[in-house]
Amino acid sequence: VCMRFLRPDVESTPLTRTSAKQADEMTASGRKVDLKNLMQTVESSEGNRPAKVALVGCGTFVQRTYLPLLETMREKLQVVAAWSRTRENADVVASAVEKYEGKVQVYAGQEGFQELLRSDVEACVVALPVQVQLQHVRAILGAGKHVLQEKPIDPEVDSVLQALEEYRELAGKKDGKLVWGIEENYRFEEAFLYAESVVKSGRLGDILKCVLNVDHLMNSNNVYFASEWRKDKATFPGGFLLDSSVHFMAALRKVVGGEITGKVSSFCLSSDRSDVPVPTTLCGLVMMGSSKEGGSEVPCSVSITMASGIQKFQLSVTGTIGTVHVERNGPGYIVTVHEDGAGGSEVRHFAYTGVERALSSFAQKVRYCRAADKCTVEDLGSLSPYQGALDLATIQSFMAMDDVDRVGAVLKLLQEHTRDHK
């Protein structure tokens, strides 16, 4: 028997199927299983070396967020190349990486992108404008390289479904050993993971309702306000509202532990601020719960604006005997749990760790796929592109105000993909 004691808020990588098979064979033959030595063999194997990574897209987010984190993760992810549509940004990123790493190969433009696809780079971390991001991701996956891409996965669910179909076929040809991950940091934030564990534990009793309230301060003081692609109504009609709200949908889905189960009632409004593309405000109500027949449902109200003069994030789940409340506060989140009759509230503080944990999880998945005989889409866990697709489908359902079952379409494809590789 193998027992593991883990922090409940940390996603772990399971023992590889190869080593598990070895343990089974040793037990069947009557030999004593030395799990410690077996795991040391796996850990010291070729599968444990750092992944050779290319940064595809070298803009603001990569320079401000990814580079400092990647410098601390050299034993997991080794940056060996940088590509950008313009040489200037690629050179800036390459120079920054070369201060702590060896020579970084620089690629630029479409010709450079094709060279990158032919290189021995093992994985790509992609952060491009949403209008062109998915086409680059599809090309990279088609070249047999692992991908971690920035959210949102795409502006439209239909194009995502096509890409998922392609990925399903590509992964099938490689025994599932092709990682496509979405870097949705809210799904990895310890505050939301803890709130999820509280809801699942039964400490709140039967869940009665969920409320998400977000006031976002989007103006020239925000470093991402100047990005023109977020303001392009023709190619990205969701604008700042969709770009930010996929985060909030990820948090909502994570904590509630369910999906949209019925029609969304919502309104999208616009403010008088000419500098923030429409729409700017969303208010809606929906039932969420288990996608399985007979599962319980919870009414959820959602209120989000990009035109506020203040910054606020609040997510509350109320049950028959308690509540859990997550609030953004300065350098992190505060999670407050109140249980009736408990004589007080439990208050916990969590720093922002989502991006770092997502990058670490990606490195783990790449290592796992190297060592395992076979991988499945379920092995991707919170990184799964289907999770990113469901975040997008959920916010689009609020914003479109129609009867199209986008969430159902993603879930159907996920079920088919999962069944393929059992």
Side-chain angles (χ1 to χ4, degrees):
V1 178
C2 178
M3 299 180 67
R4 293 181 297 155
F5 296 89
L6 300 172
R7 287 172 55 197
D9 55 341
V10 177
E11 181 174 282
S12 63
T13 301
L15 184 68
T16 67
R17 292 185 176 85
T18 301
S19 55
K21 181 180 178 182
Q22 291 171 339
D24 290 341
E25 290 173 351
M26 292 167 70
T27 303
S29 66
R31 288 182 290 163
K32 184 179 179 180
V33 180
D34 188 336
L35 288 175
K36 181 178 180 180
N37 287 338
L38 183 58
M39 287 306 297
Q40 286 176 345
T41 299
V42 172
E43 289 297 317
S44 62
S45 68
E46 170 68 8
N48 200 42
R49 62 172 171 78
K52 292 184 177 181
V53 171
L55 297 175
V56 177
C58 300
T60 302
F61 184 76
V62 171
Q63 295 181 34
R64 287 171 55 92
T65 305
Y66 277 163
L67 290 186
L69 291 174
L70 288 168
E71 183 176 357
T72 69
M73 303 173 67
R74 296 161 61 188
E75 76 286 355
K76 299 177 182 179
L77 299 169
Q78 180 187 8
V79 179
V80 298
W83 176 87
S84 181
R85 290 169 295 171
T86 62
R87 178 89 189 194
E88 182 180 0
N89 276 356
D91 283 336
V92 169
V93 166
S95 296
V97 174
E98 287 173 349
K99 291 178 181 177
Y100 63 84
E101 197 64 83
K103 178 68 176 176
V104 174
Q105 180 66 48
V106 172
Y107 300 95
Q110 284 309 302
E111 183 176 339
F113 183 68
Q114 295 304 315
E115 291 179 23
L116 173 62
L117 295 181
R118 295 190 295 268
S119 74
D120 64 351
V121 163
E122 184 178 8
C124 293
V125 176
V126 183
L128 293 168
V130 69
Q131 295 93 331
V132 299
Q133 183 164 238
L134 190 57
Q135 69 191 57
H136 286 80
V137 167
R138 291 166 79 168
I140 295 166
L141 290 170
K145 303 181 189 301
H146 305 296
V147 171
L148 179 67
Q149 74 162 97
E150 258 299 298
K151 64 81 205 166
I153 191 170
D154 195 69
E156 296 293 340
V157 172
D158 287 344
S159 56
V160 174
L161 291 173
Q162 294 175 9
L164 288 170
E165 287 277 19
E166 286 182 13
Y167 175 60
R168 176 184 172 189
E169 183 177 347
L170 289 168
K173 293 177 180 178
K174 296 174 67 68
D175 290 325
K177 298 170 69 170
L178 182 64
V179 177
W180 179 12
I182 306 299
E183 193 282 287
E184 173 46 76
N185 53 296
Y186 275 46
R187 215 176 337 272
F188 288 87
E189 291 292 352
E190 294 177 282
F192 299 125
L193 293 171
Y194 184 69
E196 176 195 25
S197 72
V198 170
V199 172
K200 285 183 175 180
S201 71
R203 291 172 60 184
L204 308 183
D206 294 331
I207 303 304
L208 301 174
K209 67 173 184 175
C210 177
V211 177
L212 173 66
N213 184 22
V214 183
D215 295 340
H216 204 52
L217 177 59
M218 183 54 67
N219 58 27
S220 57
N221 292 324
N222 188 303
V223 68
Y224 300 108
F225 183 76
S227 56
E228 293 302 321
W229 63 265
R230 289 182 172 91
K231 302 176 183 179
D232 191 332
K233 299 177 184 179
T235 59
F236 191 35
F240 287 113
L241 184 59
L242 188 149
D243 183 54
S244 294
S245 293
V246 288
H247 278 314
F248 312 142
M249 296 303 103
L252 178 66
R253 293 178 51 246
K254 188 68 176 173
V255 174
V256 175
E259 309 294 349
I260 289 176
T261 58
K263 180 175 172 57
V264 176
S265 298
S266 61
F267 295 93
C268 276
L269 309 171
S270 301
S271 71
D272 294 331
R273 284 186 54 187
S274 59
D275 57 336
V276 180
V278 297
T280 59
T281 303
L282 164 69
C283 293
L285 180 66
V286 70
M287 297 297 288
M288 295 186 72
S290 172
S291 58
K292 298 179 181 178
E293 187 174 350
S296 60
E297 295 182 316
V298 178
C300 297
S301 67
V302 173
S303 175
I304 304 169
T305 183
M306 295 291 109
S308 173
I310 61 173
Q311 192 86 359
K312 178 172 67 178
F313 176 97
Q314 297 173 330
L315 175 59
S316 299
V317 179
T318 301
T320 53
I321 58 173
T323 62
V324 59
H325 180 78
V326 184
E327 185 166 3
R328 193 165 182 168
N329 182 59
Y333 296 94
I334 297 176
V335 178
T336 305
V337 182
H338 176 80
E339 297 174 77
D340 296 349
S345 298
E346 172 196 347
V347 180
R348 295 198 180 199
H349 297 258
F350 296 91
Y352 300 131
T353 59
V355 178
E356 179 180 2
R357 290 161 58 84
L359 285 169
S360 182
S361 180
F362 178 63
Q364 288 179 342
K365 304 309 180 187
V366 170
R367 285 173 166 177
Y368 176 53
C369 282
R370 284 199 204 122
D373 294 326
K374 182 179 179 180
C375 296
T376 71
V377 69
E378 293 171 304
D379 291 327
L380 297 179
S382 294
L383 283 178
S384 172
Y386 288 94
Q387 293 295 330
L390 287 167
D391 295 337
L392 175 65
T394 302
I395 189 58
Q396 280 206 330
S397 296
F398 276 104
M399 296 180 68
M401 297 174 289
D402 57 27
D403 295 324
V404 178
D405 187 5
R406 297 169 179 82
V407 169
V410 176
L411 289 174
K412 180 176 182 294
L413 189 58
L414 173 58
Q415 291 169 356
E416 294 173 355
H417 192 160
T418 303
R419 188 171 57 247
D420 285 349
H421 303 295
K422 282 291 188 183

